[in-house]
Amino acid sequence: MKIRLDRTVCDGFGVCAKHAPGYFSLDDWGYASLIGDGTVAEQDHDPVMRALFDCPVHAITEIGDRKPDVVHPSPGSTDDPAENLKTESNEAQWGFTR
Amino acid sequence: MKTSQAAVITVATSPGCQPRLLGEQPGQAREDLAAYRGLGGYRPLPDADALLGEVESCGLVGRGGAAFPLAVKLRAVRDNGRVAAGTVVVANGEEGEPASIKDRWLLRNRPHLVLDGLRLAAAVVSADCAYVYVSDPESARSVEAALSELDSAPLRGITVSLLAVQPGYVAGEETAAVRKINGGPAKPTDKPPRPFEAGVGELPTLVSNVETLANLPYLQHYGSAAFRSQGTLLSPGTFLATITGAGRPPVLYELPHGLPFTELLALHGVSPDQVRGALMSGYFAGLLNQRVLESTLDHETMRRLGSGLGCGAISLITDDCPVAVAASVLAYFDRENAGQCGSCFNGTAAMAAVAGALRDGVATTEDLDRLRRWSVVLRGRGACATLDAATNVAASLLDQFPDEVAQHLDSGCQGCSRGAFRANRPYEAEAVRQA
């Protein structure tokens, strides 16, 4: 199972981090971010689903099998130092994608 | 140097640099279809896959700020489009970065170069629907005029639509562009999905900066080896650099990647002795101290310095206090963030408050500790990279200018007490124009 958290929807109730602290971290103001890429281990299914259902603003959704063929690019070969300039998962580190 | 009559932006190239983007006679007037065709534009494209191969060989990386390899993005959109039965291409010219002018210059002066690049990218990903996304009214008029000049032949069945939106820092983020085209507000969405997975109309979408696209006609004409004849191995080709600050009017340069920073200073008429540091990549990559003088202008070098070349906007800090500059930029983020993610609207407000207090000589050690912690833990906590930009500014201030920070904490800053640098849009290249 894979989940996504829409942080533009999160209202900082913090219920998710109470149910599944290994998957959701809260900032100083109580707003959540996902820990990891949203992939949920089999044994953690129940607490994460509880977080999903208990979120008062429905910021957490289950994703995954809808588009199995979608290609996710990763730039460059491993000996290319430019590869770390940007990937789809590290915008935090390397840029405002315009 | 020549001054563009339409927009009064001074443009120049470095000695020996063969301009590919500014054109041979930059800034004379808007280049019309006949003039662009006269330079060999809108060449027939018999084999789109071969062009993709050339994009791969030439190593072109995106010029919107993220420096993502264009070939990787093109291939992902093309391949995803085969599953989704369609793709869309968006030329992103909504230059929300106040210290940058390059995209507006291209759209105002060389709209056909951008449209040529757009139709080449559309051919590579097999898109029959394309958008030009802008906020600058003069850019919109220029693109509109260029589209009306075009008969359908060069576009070969590609429908190109122009969308002009209200300007804003976040409006140019790629998911904000997609959301706006889809009928929503011009504000970012959280990821996934990224536009290459599901974008305009849920179709795989290539959102590409207009300068990135403007490189494609040159590549098609001359090939990847010629493309690499300027620039470095990892940052091939030339790039557009908006240079602001140092008490001088902004200048738009086309420079080869890898040019020593000091050569840019010489070109700009600024002595290295005057330079205290620089604000890099518009407001995104934060501050560099005098170490910037040892740098070369390419992505790999800037990354090694813990900064970034990004969109090529560099603001030179000479007389201004770096603490006050950081405070102004953080205050800008506090005002201009999308107001969507709690970590961002709280985090930018909190960091701006501490930086402002530091500038005004009323911050405490505890405040600084909090700023340091936020600059680390808030990274990556927003749907777009606005919060990351703010953390970059805060972290780089503390890292690059520890003496100035300590001085503000202890005895205050003489310069700031005489009248601190305060700008709503620090080092703005041009006053914002509303549509």
Side-chain angles (χ1 to χ4, degrees):
Chain A
M1 180 175 88
K2 196 163 185 181
I3 55 163
R4 82 184 278 267
L5 166 68
D6 189 338
R7 288 167 294 189
T8 69
V9 173
C10 172
D11 250 345
F13 286 91
V15 182
C16 54
K18 204 173 76 183
H19 290 320
Y23 287 84
F24 302 94
S25 76
L26 304 181
D27 69 10
D28 288 9
W29 303 275
Y31 289 90
S33 268
L34 268 182
I35 300 169
D37 68 353
T39 306
V40 180
E42 189 66 39
Q43 69 271 18
D44 298 329
H45 186 266
D46 288 352
V48 170
M49 285 309 283
R50 202 167 162 209
L52 188 154
F53 287 124
D54 281 2
C55 174
V57 293
H58 308 288
I60 307 160
T61 45
E62 188 177 348
I63 55 168
D65 299 334
R66 271 194 317 132
K67 293 175 183 170
D69 298 325
V70 166
V71 177
H72 291 257
S74 68
S77 57
T78 49
D79 58 351
D80 178 359
E83 71 164 307
N84 294 321
L85 289 176
K86 181 76 179 73
T87 72
E88 78 274 21
S89 60
N90 74 348
E91 183 171 62
Q93 213 180 343
W94 284 119
F96 193 92
T97 315
R98 294 191 187 278
Chain B
M1 287 192 190
K2 287 164 180 159
T3 301
S4 157
Q5 301 201 334
V8 202
I9 303 164
T10 305
V11 294
T13 54
S14 58
C17 175
Q18 298 294 318
R20 304 168 182 182
L21 302 166
L22 293 182
E24 290 300 330
Q25 294 199 312
Q28 291 297 297
R30 190 183 75 86
E31 186 176 74
D32 64 12
L33 180 61
Y36 183 65
R37 276 228 168 94
L39 297 171
Y42 293 117
R43 303 167 77 83
L45 180 68
D47 186 349
D49 281 347
L51 179 62
L52 177 55
E54 286 295 295
V55 177
E56 205 145 41
S57 312
C58 84
L60 172 62
V61 297
R63 300 285 161 76
F68 190 83
L70 179 65
V72 176
K73 215 175 187 182
L74 285 168
R75 197 176 289 281
V77 173
R78 185 196 65 175
D79 294 351
N80 288 339
R82 287 176 180 161
V83 181
T87 59
V88 177
V89 176
V90 177
N92 189 0
E94 205 295 316
E95 192 169 35
E97 196 66 67
S100 182
I101 195 84
K102 68 187 182 76
D103 296 336
R104 273 166 285 178
W105 190 92
L106 280 174
L107 290 166
R108 290 169 184 175
N109 295 278
R110 305 200 70 195
H112 286 291
L113 180 68
V114 175
L115 291 174
D116 196 2
L118 179 63
R119 63 107 199 177
L120 292 172
V124 169
V125 302
S126 303
D128 52 16
C129 180
Y131 293 84
V132 182
Y133 178 77
V134 301
S135 62
D136 169 50
E138 197 178 326
S139 299
R141 281 193 294 275
S142 170
V143 172
E144 210 164 19
L147 286 171
S148 67
E149 284 177 301
L150 275 177
D151 47 41
S152 58
L155 297 177
R156 292 224 310 208
I158 302 162
T159 309
V160 180
S161 310
L162 172 69
L163 183 60
V165 300
Q166 288 300 309
Y169 185 78
V170 297
E173 201 262 358
E174 60 174 2
T175 60
V178 166
R179 192 174 178 188
K180 182 69 188 179
I181 293 169
N182 282 337
K187 290 186 173 188
T189 53
D190 211 344
K191 295 91 184 166
R194 288 261 175 195
F196 68 82
E197 301 167 286
V200 175
E202 290 292 304
L203 291 173
T205 300
L206 177 83
V207 182
S208 212
N209 171 263
V210 294
E211 184 192 348
T212 315
L213 294 173
N215 275 281
L216 291 179
Y218 179 93
L219 179 67
Q220 182 203 12
H221 195 161
Y222 298 103
S224 55
F227 189 89
R228 283 185 172 278
S229 66
Q230 298 189 91
T232 68
L233 183 64
L234 297 174
S235 303
T238 62
F239 72 104
L240 295 179
T242 313
I243 308 303
T244 56
R248 301 178 67 85
V251 178
L252 177 68
Y253 293 99
E254 181 167 355
L255 308 170
H257 279 111
L259 186 81
F261 189 86
T262 47
E263 288 190 25
L264 169 64
L265 285 184
L267 209 56
H268 202 56
V270 174
S271 161
D273 301 335
Q274 292 174 262
V275 175
R276 297 179 82 175
L279 182 63
M280 298 300 299
S281 182
Y283 298 169
F284 184 77
L287 298 157
L288 275 174
N289 59 23
Q290 286 180 328
R291 286 173 66 209
V292 74
L293 297 171
E294 300 153 22
S295 71
T296 52
L297 298 166
D298 52 75
H299 296 290
E300 57 275 23
T301 300
M302 289 304 170
R303 183 162 184 249
R304 271 197 294 275
L305 290 174
S307 189
L309 188 60
C311 64
I314 299 173
S315 304
L316 303 171
I317 300 173
T318 51
D319 299 330
D320 302 327
C321 171
V323 173
V325 170
S328 286
V329 175
L330 287 168
Y332 174 86
F333 286 133
D334 177 27
R335 290 191 307 273
E336 294 286 324
N337 72 78
Q340 298 187 123
C341 302
S343 296
C344 185
F345 59 71
N346 286 300
T348 53
M351 289 190 285
V354 172
L358 188 66
R359 172 198 58 209
D360 299 338
V362 294
T364 63
T365 313
E366 291 73 29
D367 289 331
L368 266 197
D369 290 344
R370 274 194 289 273
L371 184 64
R372 194 179 304 279
R373 195 173 64 79
W374 286 328
S375 76
V376 175
V377 300
L378 290 176
R379 204 168 284 266
R381 294 195 79 101
C384 74
T386 300
L387 183 56
D388 304 322
T391 61
N392 288 340
V393 171
S396 62
L397 172 67
L398 300 170
D399 173 62
Q400 299 282 308
F401 294 98
D403 295 344
E404 286 82 351
V405 169
Q407 191 190 8
H408 278 78
L409 202 57
D410 298 337
S411 54
C413 166
Q414 285 191 352
C416 285
S417 57
R418 279 198 301 269
F421 173 91
R422 286 172 201 268
N424 278 339
R425 300 164 64 83
Y427 307 114
E428 184 174 39
E430 180 188 79
V432 70
R433 301 181 190 189
Q434 301 289 331

